[in-house]
Amino acid sequence: MSSRIYYTKPSITDLEVEYATDAARNGWGDRCYEYIARFEEAFKKHLGVRYAIATSSCTGALHMGMAALGIGTGDEVIMADTNWIASAAPITYLGAKPVFVDILPDSWCLDPDKVEAAITPKTKAILAVHLYGNLCEMDRLLAIGAKYGIPVIEDAAEAIGSQYKGKRAGSMGAFGSFSFHGTKTMTTGEGGMFVTNDADLYETVLTLSNHGRARGQTKQFWPDMVGFKYKMSNVQAAIGCAQMERIDTLIARKREIYSQYRTLIADIASASMNPEPAGVINGAWMPTVVFSSESKITRDMLQREFAAANIDARVFFWPLSSLSMFQPCRGNVTAWSIPERAINLPSYHDISSDDLSRVSAVLHHAVSLAKAS
Ligand SMILES: *Cc1c(COP(=O)(O)O)cnc(C)c1O
C-alpha cells in the first residue's frame, strides 16, 4: 500500500531545535522571559499591532480578552455557527451565551446581514473567526459594530498570513487571538497570542494574565483582582522565535500548496475551494473543497475514498449548534449544508507534489463515482 499522507504536521528545522535547546539550557533565572519578550516583539512587528501577550493557547487569549471587555453572565456574543468549539468555549466560561448565525456560502465566514439581525440589548461582542484562513467581511462587521457600539473580536487562529485590504488578520478588531497548536501554520507545540492596539485593554489583559497582579504593583504576592494563568513558557517561545524568523516561508509554502490544489482540481466544475476575492490574501491554513449539492458527492463518500487511499483528510466543521450542549439552529441552512459535501485536504509544509497529485486523484475518482451512481 502507498505511504500514509498526513493531514498536518509542523515544519521544524535546526533553528527551532537550537533556540529550544538554548532556552532549556540557559533560559532560567534572570533570563526566564527573554524568548517570550523576543517572540512578542517579532509577532507585533509581523502583524503591525502595538501590543501582544503570548499565552498558553488561543482559547486562553480569547478567555482573557473577553473577560477584559467585561463580557459576563447573561451577555450574548454573536458568532458563526460554523466553527471549532474553541472559539465558543470561552464565551460559556464567562457565563455568556454564544449566538450562532449562518455563514456566507463562498467564504464560510459570518454573514454580516445575519449578524446585524441577531443583535439584541444583550449583545456584548461580535466574534469574527477567519475560517481556514478565509477572511470575514471586516469592513461590514466593523461598521455594524460601530453603529451599535459593540466590539468586534477577531479569532485569527487559522489566519496567520491572511490579509484584508492590506491589513493582517487579527489586527483590525478590538483584539485578535492566535493559536500555535501543532496543526497550525506556525507552532510552539501549544500556545497562543493576544494582540490589540488598545492600550487600556492591553493593561487589563496583562494584569489578568499575571494572576491579577498589576504591572505597577510593588507589593509582593499582591493580586489586585482574580486573574488567570494562561502564560507561555520560555521554551515554547524559543520555538516561536525560530518560527517567526521563518514566517514568510511558512506562509508562502501554505499558499503554494493551496494554489497547486486549485490547479489540480480546476477541471472539477462542481468543486470550490477557499476563496481569495479582490483585496484579500488568503493565508491558506487549510485548503478545503466544497462540492455543489448537485454533485451528489457526500462527506461519507469522501471519507471512505480518502481512507482507502491511506490519506488523512478531515471533515468540515460540524455546525456548533448541532452539538448536544447547544440548541440546534437549523435555520442556519448554509452552515448545516456545507459540511455534508466538503473535506479538508492534507497541507503540511513538507508535502510532496506527488502526494498532492494523489489527493487530487481521489477527488477525481469521487467525481466519477458520483457520476456513475
Ligand atoms: C485552533 C483554534 C483555536 C484553539 O486554539 P488553542 O490554541 O488550541 O486554544 C481557536 N480558534 C480557532 C479558530 C482555531 O482554529
Side-chain angles (χ1 to χ4, degrees), residues 57-59 86-87 129 155 157-158 179 184 191:
S57 68
C58 177
T59 310
S87 306
V129 184
D155 182 349
E158 303 177 3
S179 172
K184 302 286 157 75

Side-chain angles (χ1 to χ4, degrees), residues 234-255:
N234 201 48
V235 178
Q236 289 170 299
I239 297 174
C241 285
Q243 294 264 288
M244 283 315 289
E245 285 184 29
R246 300 176 52 231
I247 191 67
D248 292 337
T249 314
L250 292 174
I251 294 164
R253 179 60 187 147
K254 278 286 190 178
R255 285 182 50 72

Side-chain angles (χ1 to χ4, degrees), residues 33-344:
Y33 299 121
E34 253 176 33
Y35 277 108
I36 299 173
R38 242 174 89 181
F39 183 37
E40 289 171 345
E41 282 310 311
F43 204 81
K44 278 193 293 197
K45 203 161 154 229
H46 171 77
L47 219 64
V49 291
R50 286 220 276 279
Y51 309 103
I53 301 171
T55 59
S56 53
S57 68
C58 177
T59 310
L62 283 169
H63 191 183
M64 291 193 292
M66 289 182 188
L69 286 176
I71 295 166
T73 311
D75 293 339
E76 295 177 351
V77 176
I78 299 170
M79 62 182 289
D81 205 345
T82 300
N83 263 307
W84 175 229
I85 196 166
S87 306
I91 302 170
T92 69
Y93 300 163
L94 293 163
K97 183 185 162 203
V99 174
F100 301 121
V101 301
D102 209 357
I103 53 169
L104 295 167
D106 50 353
S107 70
W108 322 322
C109 291
L110 272 178
D111 180 336
D113 290 333
K114 301 283 164 56
V115 170
E116 187 160 16
I119 290 173
T120 74
K122 291 181 181 166
T123 308
K124 286 287 151 54
I126 297 163
L127 177 58
V129 184
H130 304 297
L131 203 85
Y132 299 144
N134 306 353
L135 283 131
C136 294
E137 287 191 9
M138 287 309 291
D139 280 351
R140 295 250 354 249
L141 293 175
L142 290 167
I144 293 166
K147 179 174 165 190
Y148 294 90
I150 297 166
V152 178
I153 301 164
E154 286 182 274
D155 182 349
E158 303 177 3
I160 196 157
S162 295
Q163 295 184 41
Y164 180 86
K165 301 184 181 175
K167 291 190 179 129
R168 291 201 177 266
S171 70
M172 295 168 275
F175 74 83
S177 63
F178 288 85
S179 172
F180 310 125
H181 180 254
T183 55
K184 302 286 157 75
T185 295
M186 65 156 283
T187 192
T188 58
E190 293 279 359
M193 193 73 79
F194 167 90
V195 299
T196 186
N197 286 313
D198 180 327
D200 293 337
L201 200 62
Y202 169 69
E203 284 299 330
T204 308
V205 173
L206 197 64
T207 302
L208 284 175
S209 77
N210 194 20
H211 268 315
R213 290 176 290 187
R215 181 149 58 165
Q217 182 55 259
T218 48
K219 262 162 103 170
Q220 288 183 342
F221 296 128
W222 191 263
D224 298 274
M225 60 176 90
V226 176
F228 297 96
K229 189 62 195 295
Y230 288 132
K231 286 194 173 191
M232 176 178 278
S233 74
N234 201 48
V235 178
Q236 289 170 299
I239 297 174
C241 285
Q243 294 264 288
M244 283 315 289
E245 285 184 29
R246 300 176 52 231
I247 191 67
D248 292 337
T249 314
L250 292 174
I251 294 164
R253 179 60 187 147
K254 278 286 190 178
R255 285 182 50 72
E256 196 175 66
I257 292 163
Y258 160 66
S259 148
Q260 284 180 15
Y261 275 133
R262 288 192 79 135
T263 307
L264 284 166
I265 65 159
D267 60 319
I268 307 179
S270 58
S272 50
M273 286 191 66
N274 316 53
E276 198 169 46
V280 159
I281 295 173
N282 197 315
W285 171 59
M286 184 62 61
T288 297
V289 178
V290 176
F291 286 94
S292 67
S293 311
E294 297 74 40
S295 71
K296 304 222 179 59
I297 294 172
T298 64
R299 170 184 55 225
D300 295 350
M301 182 179 164
L302 291 164
Q303 281 194 277
R304 229 179 8 249
E305 292 298 312
F306 277 109
N310 204 18
I311 296 171
D312 186 12
R314 300 280 171 98
V315 301
F316 195 97
F317 292 132
W318 309 96
L320 290 178
S321 79
S322 71
L323 302 178
S324 61
M325 52 292 214
F326 300 116
Q327 296 296 315
C329 307
R330 288 196 160 272
N332 295 335
V333 288
T334 309
W336 283 66
S337 159
I338 287 180
E340 302 298 319
R341 46 189 167 85
I343 199 90
N344 297 154

